[in-house]
Amino acid sequence: MSSHTLTEQLAEVLQQHGWMLATAESCTGGMIAASCTDLSGSSNWFERGFVTYSNEAKHDMLGVDSALIAEHGAVSEAVAQAMTLGAMRRSHAQVTLAVTGVAGPTGGTADKPVGTVWFAWATPSDAGPTLGAETAWVKTELMHFSGDRATVREAAAQHALKTLLDLLEQH
């Protein structure tokens, strides 16, 4: 499924709920936000995008604890979760997603080879829509994508959108 089709379906589901989306992106560098804003009328459901490529940006823009990054690394479940909750706290969105990974060709390690990407999605809990992430429901996932930098980034963006759509359709 193309990212355009995915974003159209995502737009429909978000609007049905009356929810806004915010993104927190590292390795995808704003690709997800761009695919959302490629659609006319996206201001009805897309609230903002944070491109937090550096550790300092994750801390400054999303409130990710620097100690968390130092302990787990920027490409980790803990940081992805902190990014998505930070996006929720620092926006007016009810739904957020975060992506942090190693797109390559450099930067990989034995523990986190090129293609390693952590995702986190936050949606309103069963208690109802919330702002500020106090009762948000969060899902995290680790994926490993193969290919060059462009392929890893595109696969990560697609996966983030597809999984969010699946989560919202189950909501």
Side-chain angles (χ1 to χ4, degrees):
M1 187 180 310
S2 75
S3 62
H4 190 70
T5 305
L6 272 174
T7 50
E8 287 174 340
Q9 291 176 355
L10 183 59
E12 189 176 313
V13 173
L14 285 164
Q15 289 178 95
Q16 285 170 0
H17 288 286
W19 291 340
M20 298 295 282
L21 170 65
T23 59
E25 301 180 66
S26 186
C27 66
T28 51
M31 291 172 68
I32 298 167
S35 72
C36 291
T37 59
D38 278 349
L39 287 181
S40 177
S42 57
S43 60
N44 294 321
W45 56 272
F46 184 78
E47 207 268 333
R48 71 183 71 185
F50 298 91
V51 177
T52 57
Y53 204 71
S54 71
N55 292 344
E56 292 78 14
K58 289 173 184 66
H59 173 76
D60 294 346
M61 295 173 71
L62 299 172
V64 176
D65 190 335
S66 297
L68 193 71
I69 296 171
E71 181 180 347
H72 298 280
V75 179
S76 64
E77 180 177 29
V79 170
Q81 181 170 326
M83 287 172 66
T84 203
L85 290 173
M88 190 171 275
R89 285 186 190 99
R90 296 186 176 195
S91 72
H92 300 285
Q94 295 80 21
V95 176
T96 59
L97 66 82
V99 181
T100 182
V102 184
T106 61
T109 65
D111 289 347
K112 297 173 187 176
V114 169
T116 302
V117 182
W118 272 102
F119 298 87
W121 301 266
T123 63
S125 72
D126 291 340
T130 182
L131 291 176
E134 305 319 320
T135 61
W137 178 85
V138 177
K139 172 187 171 61
T140 58
E141 184 176 16
L142 172 63
M143 294 292 291
H144 297 279
F145 301 107
S146 59
D148 63 11
R149 182 177 182 82
T151 303
V152 168
R153 294 175 76 219
E154 182 59 34
Q158 288 280 323
H159 183 75
L161 291 167
K162 171 94 174 73
T163 303
L164 179 59
L165 180 61
D166 291 346
L167 291 171
L168 294 177
E169 287 179 337
Q170 295 166 16
H171 206 281

